[in-house]
Amino acid sequence: QIVERLLAEIAKGDKATYGLKGTTEALNIGATKSVLITDNLIFKKRDEESTEIEDLLKIADSTKTDVHIISSDHDGGKKLDGLGGIAAILRYKIT
């Protein structure tokens, strides 16, 4: 359900961002309500990307952002993998 909510926000062009860069920027300014990340991105990436993901999750924790880990085997996870494996539902629209 949360992946479908994310996709609806993306379709509206409203309160969502996806990909590592966009999600990191939104987290850094405190605009994120929820971060969605696939297990594929967490467990199967190279070491330098793993460190970047760990740092991102620490920021999410410090900003009290909900983190949802989505299985890449699930339909929602496959859709999220198509968006780079990571996305965020935002508290407010950013430009």
Side-chain angles (χ1 to χ4, degrees), residues 4 25 28 35 39 50 58 61-62 66 68-69 78 86:
E4 294 304 322
E25 289 173 359
N28 283 331
V35 169
D39 59 351
S50 294
K58 287 177 187 174
D61 184 52
S62 70
D66 295 329
H68 302 271
I69 300 173
K78 290 175 185 173
I86 189 165

Side-chain angles (χ1 to χ4, degrees), residues 1-2 7 20-21 23 27 37 50 53 56 59 63 77 81-83 90:
Q1 289 178 333
I2 192 135
L7 295 173
L20 191 56
K21 182 179 178 185
T23 303
L27 273 168
I37 186 167
S50 294
I53 297 299
L56 197 145
I59 295 169
T63 59
D81 274 333
L83 297 172
L90 305 176

Side-chain angles (χ1 to χ4, degrees), residues 8-20:
E9 291 292 344
I10 290 170
K12 290 190 292 186
D14 204 12
K15 297 186 290 185
T17 188
Y18 55 91
L20 191 56

